[in-house]
Amino acid sequence: MSDSVKNSKAPLILLSFNLFIVMVGIGLVIPILPFYIDKFGADARTLGLLVAVFAFMQFLFAPMWGRLSDKVGRKPLITIGLFGFAIAEFIFAYANGLGMLFLSRILAGTFGSALMPTAMAYVSDVTSSEKRGQGMGIMGAAMGLGIVVGPGIGGWLAEYDLSLPFLVAGIAATIAGIVSVLILPESYPKEKRDKDALLTEGEKRDNQFIVMYKALKSPVGFLLILVFIMSFGLANFQSIFGYYTMQRYDYNPSEVGLIILIVGLVGTIVQGALVGRLTKRFGEERVVTSALLISAIGFVLMTLATGFKTVLLTTCLFFLGNSLLRPSLNSFISKLAGSRQGLVMGLNNSFLSLGNVAGPILAGIFFEINIHIPYLFGACIMLFGLIVTKIWLQKRRTEVEPTS
């Protein structure tokens, strides 16, 4: 990519716009998905499996897409991901049985995994090391805003027909795909791909599990574990929040959607306005550890909330921590990835997906024991992440100091 394009904000803005549209499409279905599958006679366990199979397909395919983006460029993979996601949403809208619902989630997870790691690699291509945190924050803000706006629109559309939100989601992804084809520039040109390929020529292509195992022993290995912890905590929260508030406070989907809307706006503001400044001033290390602590506190306080205002306040606190954590962690990983942005971001997405698989499954199991256990367990996971991160950072400093 030329210096003029790399220094321009236009590609990042276009990519953020595409991600915003897709996240609106995803967010549309959040408040009404339990009601949608209910018409097929499905239960909460089936809902959990639908969430898990989506994440599992992301886990399986993200590294493949990431490596492919290092070979053919970012733009083709972003486009494929968008159109594939659109097809999956159309299938869900016209599903006439559980088989089609699972087919839709399988396709959505497969093609969605092409989009996310490639988008993060794209941001790495078009930003300098100093502005990497800011770039990740802007992308995260666009995604967060889409997730925020989506549930409100989905709840409104569902009043006309439960399948309408899924149709709109498919149309939104199609529009984003067309924008990518017509306007989005390629961030990783062929000459740069060929040059970087020489650095890894002859490298053996192992299967994903071997690649993940090797990645855990690499400089980014511990950070990938943190990605799993982060995604586990967020999936743990999101998967059970609607059932939690319905059973404890008797909330309806519109009230749940309103809470998601407000706390999502908080997260969007944090990612768009604060992450870049905080990482620049304090560094990714301090921001990541602070975010883990804030998220843990938010989890615990959620179990103590007594009404709408306190539910809103405590969920905002949790989202504040998570909104600081994700882009800061992505920026940290990107700086250690070097020329392997596509591969590493694909691995990033795989560990993210593993957390998204484990979180809903365990949350559902714990919820049946006691409705508070999912959030208390989530707090323990975040605190564990904080402790091991402190240990890792201290070890990293002692290894670097003798050579400095």
Side-chain angles (χ1 to χ4, degrees), residues 70-71 188-199:
D70 286 338
K71 287 186 175 182
Y188 196 41
K190 188 176 187 303
E191 57 271 19
K192 184 68 166 61
R193 297 197 300 269
D194 292 341
K195 180 180 178 181
D196 290 342
L198 292 175
L199 300 176

Side-chain angles (χ1 to χ4, degrees), residues 67 197 199-206 211 214 340 343:
R67 287 195 296 267
L199 300 176
T200 57
E201 188 175 359
E203 182 182 83
K204 183 180 178 180
R205 290 302 185 189
D206 297 312
V211 170
K214 289 182 177 179
R340 310 295 301 282
L343 174 61

Side-chain angles (χ1 to χ4, degrees), residues 70 120-121 124 132 136 196 199-200 218-220 223-224 330-348:
D70 286 338
M120 286 189 284
S124 300
R132 191 70 46 77
M136 292 294 182
D196 290 342
L199 300 176
T200 57
S218 73
V220 300
L223 297 179
L224 293 174
N330 287 339
S331 177
F332 203 172
I333 292 171
S334 176
K335 288 182 178 180
L336 295 179
S339 63
R340 310 295 301 282
Q341 295 293 332
L343 174 61
V344 172
M345 288 307 177
L347 286 165
N348 182 347

Side-chain angles (χ1 to χ4, degrees), residues 148-172:
V148 166
V149 173
I153 298 175
W156 173 67
L157 291 174
E159 293 181 3
Y160 298 92
D161 190 284
L162 282 176
S163 64
L164 187 57
F166 300 96
L167 288 173
V168 172
I171 293 171

Side-chain angles (χ1 to χ4, degrees), residues 229-245 247-248 295-304 318 355 358-383:
I229 290 174
M230 173 199 69
S231 64
F232 178 92
L234 183 59
N236 186 57
F237 164 79
Q238 288 180 326
S239 63
I240 212 68
F241 182 70
Y243 289 101
Y244 182 83
T245 54
Q247 183 163 328
R248 188 176 181 190
S295 297
I297 294 173
F299 261 136
V300 174
L301 293 181
M302 273 192 277
T303 65
L304 304 177
F318 171 77
I361 293 174
L362 287 180
I365 293 172
F366 290 146
F367 188 82
E368 294 180 357
I369 300 172
N370 184 282
I371 64 173
H372 299 304
I373 292 181
Y375 294 143
L376 294 176
F377 184 70
C380 292
I381 291 295
M382 291 296 180
L383 287 175

Side-chain angles (χ1 to χ4, degrees), residues 253-281:
S254 63
E255 289 171 309
V256 174
L258 179 60
I259 293 173
I260 295 174
L261 171 64
I262 296 173
V263 300
L265 284 173
V266 171
T268 301
I269 293 171
V270 168
Q271 293 189 67
L274 291 181
V275 171
R277 296 178 183 178
L278 290 175
T279 55
K280 185 176 181 180
R281 181 172 182 180

Side-chain angles (χ1 to χ4, degrees), residues 282-290 332 389 392-393 396-397:
F282 300 106
E284 285 86 359
E285 296 178 3
R286 290 185 179 180
V287 176
V288 166
T289 53
S290 298
F332 203 172
T389 299
W392 179 75
L393 289 173
R396 190 166 180 262
R397 291 190 191 99

